[in-house]
Every structure is written in C-alpha cells, then in structure tokens.
C-alpha cells in the first residue's frame, strides 16, 4: 500500500460508522522490523523538517497536533522521535495533566486556549481538551469537581461537549489553524507487556505509576469512550487518525506520514521577494562586496 493510501485509510473524516475493532493496533503494512522502517522514518523526518521551515517562513498557518492515547501507548517517545528534525523554535509541546483549581474555575476549553500555536508554528498537545470526554466520562467524580451549575449537567452532556469541540475546531480551522488529531491505538495485551517492562527494567522504573494499572481496569469503558469520541468529533476540518501503536517504530512512521500529508494540504511556500526587496538585496550585496 502506498503511504498516501495508508494515511487515507486511517483518517476518519466522517465518524458515524466508525468502529474501533475495524483497526488493527499491530498493523505494520508488511514491514518486518524497526531496522526495516528506519530509512523511511529518516526520510520522513527530513521531509517534515523542510515543510516546517516553509511553514515558519510563510507565517500564515499554524498546526495543532492533538495526541490522545492510553498510558504507555508511546505519546512521549513519538513526539521525541518524529519531531527530532524539527527546529525547536518553531515547535511547542504542552502536556495536559489533571486540572488544578484555577482550571476547574473556568469552562473546560479555557486552559488549552492559552497554549494554541502561533502562526508559522507547530503546537503539540500531549493529551488535550479531549480528556473531558474520556477520563471525565469514565470517572463521573471528576465531572462533579468541575463546579458546573447542576441544571447544566444532564444526560446530554457528552453530546454537548462533542458539539462544542467541533464548533471550536471549526473556528480554529477558519482562522488558519490546521488541527491534526492522532489517536495512538494500543492493544490491552501490549500495554500489559510495556507495564511489565517498566517494572522489570531499573532504568524504566520511574515511568511506572500505580495509577496507570488502576486505570487499566477501566479498559473497556475507555475504549467505548474513545470510539464515541472518534465517531462524534471526526470532521472534514479536523479528522482523527487511528495510528497503529503496538509497534512503536511503526507508529512513528505513521505519525510522520500523517503530518507530512497534512502540511502538504496547505499552500506552503517561501515568501516571494518583490521588486523593492530585490533592490534591497542587490544594494546590500554590492555594499558587502565593496568591503572586501
Ligand atoms: P506520563 O505518564 O507519560 O508522564 P501522562 O500524560 O500519562 O504522561 P500523568 O501525570 O501520568 O501524565 O497523567 C495525567 C493524568 O491527567 C491522566 O490520567 C489524564 O487522564 C489526566 N487528565 C488530563 N486532563 C484532564 C482533565 N481535563 N480532567 C481530568 N483529568 C485529566
Ligand atoms: Mg501517565
């Protein structure tokens, strides 16, 4: 399968028939190993870097990359590897942890708004406002902490949040912020393997959190919440991508390809030099040469 076809096959632009079970977390498109994929990944990183330079120089579009996944799916390492060729000046990463008192005193979109990328930049959300229809849905006590007026918390709340998110993302897209949403799709079995690895490898012990294992007990509820989320918030202007994540090296490759395709959908180019600028360059060149 060509990469374009692959990216199209994991892009959900219209979610109403979406089913998570149609997607294989262990997909590798026939690639056998990390070594096999390395060359493609290196090339992908280089292509991404070229496009980012143009994005930055043009200073018109912004890219918001939203990353969502279960624990140990590889969000952090995907960011580390895929963005390794990108100029740090043109990129920001924001990790969203549990909300603090100031966050809980505001509407749920409030805290992410401050971290939106500027024009010319790529902003990555490591978790995002989507937690508001995932962890908050799985744990109703988190919703209770949000201090919403009681009459607004009804059976329709998740549907309302989906609508609000869609409207918000449409607003972003109409303002030149391209929203690229990535769900790293990990199997329950592979998560178990990675947790055990964190326990058994001293250098990885720090990554282990007891809470992650407790969350794992809600696996089924999370999968339902993810499926509902993708069904209801996959839109033409902000599609979800279901990234097979059981093989980290394949997930990295897939994410790089998705980002490249997203950037290619924009009219990126280096700013044109007009006649006045041309003259300025000519004069500067002449003056500098005269110094020699
Ligand atoms: P890592 O474990 O790799 O450091 P992480 O993203 O898992 O990264 P943690 O501090 O372990 O970071 O977990 C953050 C927790 O915050 C997650 O359990 C997540 O569900 C929760 N969280 C994030 N946003 C919200 C939110 N809006 N409401 C409630 N909980 C949230
Ligand atoms: Mg964690």
């Amino acid at each position: 399968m060509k990469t374009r076809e692959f990216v199209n096959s994991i892009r959900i632009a219209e979610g109403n028939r979406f089913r998570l079970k149609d997607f294989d977390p262990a997909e590798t498109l026939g690639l056998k190993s990390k070594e096999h994929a390395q060359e493609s990944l290196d090339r992908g990183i280089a292509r991404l870097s070229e496009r980012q330079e143009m994005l930055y120089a043009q200073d018109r579009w912004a890219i918001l990359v939203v990353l969502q996944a279960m624990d140990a799916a590889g969000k952090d390492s995907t960011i580390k590897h895929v963005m390794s060729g990108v100029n740090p000046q043109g990129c920001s990463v924001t990790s969203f942890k549990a909300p603090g008192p100031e966050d809980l005193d505001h509407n749920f979109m409030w805290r992410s708004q401050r971290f939106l990328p500027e024009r010319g930049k790529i902003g990555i959300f490591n978790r995002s406002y989507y937690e508001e229809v995932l962890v908050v849905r799985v744990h109703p006590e988190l919703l209770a902490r949000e201090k919403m007026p009681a009459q607004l918390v009804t059976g329709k709340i998740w549907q309302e949040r989906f609508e609000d998110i869609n409207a918000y993302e449409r607003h972003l897209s109409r303002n030149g912020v391209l929203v690229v949403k990535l769900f790293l799709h990990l199997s329950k079995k592979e998560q178990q393997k990675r947790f055990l690895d964190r326990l058994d490898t001293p250098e990885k012990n720090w990554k282990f959190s007891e809470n992650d294992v407790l969350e794992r007990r809600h696996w089924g509820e999370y999968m339902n919440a993810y499926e509902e989320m993708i069904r209801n918030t996959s839109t033409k202007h902000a599609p979800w991508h279901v990234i097979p994540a059981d093989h980290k090296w394949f997930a990295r490759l897939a994410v790089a390809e998705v980002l490249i395709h997203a950037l290619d959908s924009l009219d990126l180019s280096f700013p044109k030099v007009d006649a006045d600028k041309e003259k300025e360059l000519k004069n500067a060149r002449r003056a500098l040469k005269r110094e020699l």
Side-chain angles (χ1 to χ4, degrees):
M1 203 192 293
K2 298 232 174 60
T3 55
R4 185 169 297 273
E5 276 170 58
F6 173 65
V7 172
N8 288 340
S9 75
I10 59 168
R11 180 192 293 119
I12 320 297
E14 212 215 295
N16 49 20
R17 275 199 293 268
F18 175 79
R19 285 180 319 182
L20 209 45
K21 69 177 171 62
D22 294 338
F23 292 79
D24 179 8
E27 177 68 75
T28 62
L29 286 183
L31 289 170
K32 297 260 171 338
S33 67
K34 190 174 176 174
E35 290 65 39
H36 227 109
Q38 194 59 45
E39 203 189 306
S40 307
L41 182 61
D42 290 345
R43 227 179 309 125
I45 289 169
R47 283 158 66 211
L48 196 56
S49 156
E50 287 162 18
R51 285 156 180 78
Q52 187 230 355
E53 213 180 315
M54 252 191 270
L55 178 83
Y56 189 83
Q58 193 186 41
D59 201 15
R60 290 291 178 273
W61 295 96
I63 313 289
L64 174 62
V65 180
V66 173
L67 257 180
Q68 285 293 158
M70 294 299 283
D71 286 300
K75 288 186 276 93
D76 295 7
S77 73
T78 303
I79 295 170
K80 179 170 137 189
H81 284 85
V82 176
M83 303 311 280
S84 62
V86 161
N87 183 347
Q89 280 205 79
C91 188
S92 62
V93 183
T94 312
S95 298
F96 291 95
K97 312 276 178 184
E102 202 186 1
D103 301 318
L104 294 171
D105 246 345
H106 290 87
N107 57 307
F108 77 81
M109 273 297 181
W110 178 80
R111 72 166 171 157
S112 51
Q113 192 129 354
R114 297 188 286 170
F115 299 102
L116 288 174
E118 299 166 29
R119 298 192 192 282
K121 300 205 176 170
I122 300 176
I124 300 175
F125 281 2
N126 182 352
R127 301 189 190 271
S128 66
Y129 45 84
Y130 278 104
E131 293 290 328
E132 296 288 342
V133 294
L134 294 168
V135 68
V136 179
R137 190 168 187 177
V138 172
H139 296 285
E141 66 277 15
L142 295 178
L143 183 61
R145 284 175 49 202
E146 291 189 5
K147 298 170 70 177
M148 300 248 304
Q151 73 209 67
L152 299 182
V153 184
T154 69
K156 290 190 298 194
I157 188 158
W158 310 116
Q159 208 50 47
E160 288 169 354
R161 287 190 169 190
F162 293 143
E163 280 171 26
D164 291 345
I165 289 173
N166 288 340
Y168 183 69
E169 290 177 348
R170 192 182 55 213
H171 158 72
L172 293 177
S173 74
R174 285 175 170 168
N175 279 268
V177 182
L178 181 71
V179 185
V180 184
K181 301 185 298 203
L182 309 170
F183 166 53
L184 301 190
H185 183 25
L186 181 76
S187 68
K188 194 175 180 193
K189 190 95 199 129
E190 180 61 24
Q191 190 197 48
Q192 179 193 36
K193 212 171 123 207
R194 291 185 191 177
F195 282 168
L196 286 171
D197 187 45
R198 286 178 180 187
L199 290 168
D200 295 341
T201 316
E203 299 77 42
K204 290 187 184 168
N205 282 172
W206 66 274
K207 287 191 194 175
F208 183 80
S209 140
E210 203 180 357
N211 194 50
D212 292 354
V213 177
L214 295 177
E215 284 310 285
R216 181 179 162 77
R217 296 191 186 153
H218 299 281
W219 187 272
E221 293 156 73
Y222 270 107
M223 290 307 112
N224 286 339
Y226 269 108
E227 191 168 76
E228 279 275 294
M229 172 194 85
I230 294 174
R231 264 192 203 156
N232 287 281
T233 59
S234 288
T235 56
K236 275 207 181 64
H237 55 266
W240 274 103
H241 299 81
V242 181
I243 307 288
D246 273 6
H247 300 282
K248 282 191 169 187
W249 51 269
F250 187 76
R252 289 166 196 162
L253 198 58
V255 168
E257 288 300 331
V258 167
L259 294 180
I260 290 166
H261 281 80
L263 286 161
D264 280 347
S265 71
L266 307 176
D267 55 342
L268 296 182
S269 63
F270 286 107
K272 292 263 178 309
V273 174
D274 61 16
D276 284 348
K277 185 80 182 172
E278 196 89 62
K279 212 159 137 196
E280 188 184 313
L281 299 179
K282 215 162 141 190
N283 290 341
R285 194 180 299 117
R286 208 179 300 140
L288 278 169
K289 285 205 167 149
R290 230 180 282 133
E291 280 182 20
L292 293 171

